[in-house]
Amino acid sequence: METLIIIVFVLGYLAITLEHNLKIDKLIPALGMMALLWAIIALTHMDVFEVNAELKELEATHIDEILLHHLGKTAEILVFLLGAMTIVEIIDYFDGFATIKGYIKARSKRKLLWIFSILAFVLSAIIDNLTATIVLITILQKVLKDKELRLWFAGIIIIAANAGGAWSPIGDVTTTMLWIGHKVSAGLLVEHVLIPSIFCMVVPVLIASRLKIFKGDIEGDFTDEGSKSKYGTIMLYLGLGMIVFVPLFKTVTHLPPYVGMMLSLAVVATFAEIYSNKKFALSGVNEDSGDFQGHHSPVHHSLARIELPSILFFLGILMAVAALESLGMLFHFAEKLDAAMPMLGTESAGEKVSDLVVLILGAGSAVIDNVPLVAASMGMFSVGMDDPVWHFIAYSAGTGGSMLIIGSAAGVVAMGMEKIDFFWYLKKIAWLALIGFLSGAAIFVLLRNFVLDV
């Protein structure tokens, strides 16, 4: 039966990977694969296990218990993402992101490259790398008319956004998974991954800034249009501030992160409703008018714009990987993989995990979605919370996807917005992403072994 399980998973994964070729949304094979895997386990009465992290062994359990356990862990991530997505949509409802364009005044291509890269790095750590990429490419399209130059900027934004999301517990779905799954704490994640992530962003930008295409000045539209809403700037800072508040809330209360995110959403939604009721959300437009965004409530409008397919995809893929974990397959695979690799890592908590294994996971995220890769690694390794292995996985999975345009959510959305050709990116940007990835990885290993002493 294990062979059948693997066949179903591989076929489902291929369907997800070939989404564009098959013209089938990836949530469909993800949900189907999840349901089939658990159905096979139930119908054939296969033994299911739970990993005992302290004893580093598998303990038998009942399918109802393990299914409920994994559903609960998955639901924590999904509810957290729903809250974050809604806050971002509320900010956008008030046209809050238009405020960012006001900070972009430079005419020099090199200066603009650094400005966009730094903005991508910082924004992605707060509103996630996908949203940061969408916001910055939208602004980019307004200030740059040269298509070729814009493609280069978009490529660097992808690298910077993925690097920025890797060190923040709220910057990428994978780091959020590790944080909510009690693999990393917010403080130590930042301490261990921030500097490597900075190198991952700075080195490629430094190299790119010396290229011929970034020499000279540009001519574009730098007029500050301002936000369409008088409350745009307020909602931008309020929304970003409340998202940043979530890790602080968890640190103080020790409650799961989704609780803090729900509180943040409640605060942002309250102000959104107040400002909307004042009928000033859009200057010159009365909310009783039929043109008022099509909704009387900014919260309802924002909830309607959430990407529910993404939420369902995460549900399917995380629960599918959970099925493999429950059978003990990931646990045994990790043991075999690590035994076959040269031991470049350090011994921690009685278990050795090779740095090469983690680097392979990072490189694999350029081809395979990093969400199931990280989900699988959480079931593979039984090291304790805040072990350097988890920090290295957060870095590698978060930044490795930059090496291919299809390797990250930021890359895929940029590909759609700017019609970036796969092979153009492979030729022009991939080598920069690889240098950045390896630079950050080298810095991580040096810091771990000689500075942080872990």
Side-chain angles (χ1 to χ4, degrees):
M1 282 298 110
E2 288 192 356
T3 303
L4 179 59
I5 290 285
I6 294 173
I7 290 173
V8 171
F9 185 82
V10 170
L11 290 177
Y13 214 100
L14 280 174
I16 292 170
T17 306
L18 300 173
E19 172 189 18
H20 298 292
N21 302 83
L22 298 175
K23 294 181 172 51
I24 297 176
D25 194 294
K26 62 184 178 181
L27 77 90
I28 297 173
L31 292 175
M33 174 174 61
M34 176 268 287
L36 285 175
L37 290 176
W38 283 105
I40 293 171
I41 294 173
L43 292 173
T44 58
H45 304 288
M46 298 178 72
D47 294 329
V48 289
F49 306 90
E50 186 173 0
V51 177
N52 187 317
E54 295 182 0
L55 299 178
K56 296 179 179 59
E57 62 182 27
L58 298 174
E59 295 181 347
T61 184
H62 192 272
I63 187 171
D64 290 339
E65 295 178 0
I66 197 68
L67 190 57
L68 189 60
H69 168 76
H70 286 300
L71 180 60
K73 292 298 180 182
T74 301
E76 286 188 22
I77 297 171
L78 300 186
V79 172
F80 180 91
L81 292 175
L82 280 170
M85 288 177 176
T86 307
I87 291 176
V88 169
E89 290 296 341
I90 290 175
I91 295 173
D92 189 55
Y93 175 89
F94 287 90
D95 202 24
F97 293 114
T99 304
I100 297 173
K101 191 184 175 213
Y103 297 113
I104 302 173
K105 302 293 185 184
R107 293 275 182 180
S108 166
K109 293 178 183 178
R110 285 179 180 172
K111 286 184 179 179
L112 273 178
L113 179 66
W114 281 104
I115 289 172
F116 273 100
S117 299
I118 293 171
L119 278 173
F121 188 83
V122 174
L123 276 178
S124 65
I126 303 173
I127 59 174
D128 79 60
N129 47 13
L130 173 63
T131 308
T133 302
I134 294 172
V135 170
L136 291 176
I137 289 184
T138 301
I139 295 172
L140 195 65
Q141 290 171 339
K142 295 180 179 179
V143 300
L144 284 180
K145 304 302 180 185
D146 186 335
K147 175 69 174 179
E148 179 72 10
L149 180 61
R150 207 163 63 233
L151 292 181
W152 275 92
F153 268 90
I156 301 300
I157 285 173
I158 292 169
I159 295 174
N162 286 333
W167 63 271
S168 167
I170 53 179
D172 186 86
V173 175
T174 53
T175 50
T176 300
M177 287 165 55
L178 291 168
W179 182 43
I180 293 178
H182 303 291
K183 303 301 182 183
V184 299
S185 61
L188 287 179
L189 176 68
V190 174
E191 180 183 341
H192 287 75
V193 185
L194 174 58
I195 295 177
S197 296
I198 291 175
F199 272 83
C200 182
M201 182 272 289
V202 168
V203 172
V205 175
L206 196 60
I207 295 173
S209 65
R210 315 309 297 178
L211 298 177
K212 184 178 180 180
I213 195 166
F214 290 109
K215 291 181 180 179
D217 298 336
I218 66 166
E219 294 183 4
D221 177 20
F222 284 82
T223 56
D224 185 9
E225 299 173 359
S227 173
K228 295 177 183 177
S229 167
K230 65 182 292 185
Y231 299 109
T233 302
I234 297 174
M235 292 306 297
L236 173 67
Y237 292 127
L238 175 65
L240 297 183
M242 292 310 298
I243 292 176
V244 172
F245 164 76
V246 176
L248 301 177
F249 180 86
K250 181 185 185 300
T251 302
V252 173
T253 64
H254 302 291
L255 289 170
Y258 71 87
V259 180
M261 186 58 77
M262 291 300 102
L263 175 60
S264 294
L265 175 57
V267 172
V268 174
T270 299
F271 280 91
E273 293 290 326
I274 291 172
Y275 294 148
S276 178
N277 289 336
K278 287 182 178 181
K279 303 181 182 180
F280 293 127
L282 294 178
S283 57
V285 180
N286 187 295
E287 79 169 14
D288 295 327
S289 161
D291 296 329
F292 188 78
Q293 299 272 341
H295 289 266
H296 290 290
S297 167
V299 179
H300 291 175
H301 172 82
S302 301
L303 285 169
R305 288 176 56 86
I306 285 178
E307 289 188 34
L308 196 56
S310 296
I311 297 295
L312 290 175
F313 167 72
F314 292 142
L315 170 65
I317 199 69
L318 292 175
M319 290 300 292
V321 172
L324 301 185
E325 180 184 342
S326 299
L327 293 173
M329 296 170 69
L330 296 180
F331 184 81
H332 295 309
F333 175 74
E335 290 180 333
K336 293 177 181 177
L337 179 64
D338 213 42
M341 292 292 175
M343 196 50 58
L344 305 176
T346 56
E347 185 171 353
S348 53
E351 178 174 327
K352 291 183 177 181
V353 178
S354 170
D355 288 340
L356 192 55
V357 172
V358 181
L359 287 174
I360 290 173
L361 286 175
S365 68
V367 181
I368 303 171
D369 194 281
N370 59 1
V371 171
L373 274 181
V374 172
S377 71
M378 292 170 69
M380 287 164 60
F381 307 122
S382 55
V383 293
M385 182 176 178
D386 277 325
D387 188 280
V389 169
W390 298 124
H391 298 137
F392 202 14
I393 288 174
Y395 168 81
S396 295
T399 61
S402 301
M403 289 184 279
L404 290 179
I405 188 72
I406 61 170
S408 65
V412 171
V413 74
M415 186 181 190
M417 293 179 73
E418 283 293 347
K419 303 297 185 290
I420 302 175
D421 182 73
F422 176 89
F423 293 102
W424 181 93
Y425 187 94
L426 185 64
K427 180 181 178 181
K428 304 287 188 180
I429 306 295
W431 65 279
L432 290 170
L434 175 61
I435 292 173
F437 174 69
L438 294 177
S439 300
I443 294 298
F444 179 91
V445 173
L446 289 173
L447 289 174
R448 181 196 63 195
N449 292 346
F450 301 108
V451 179
L452 297 174
D453 191 29
V454 292

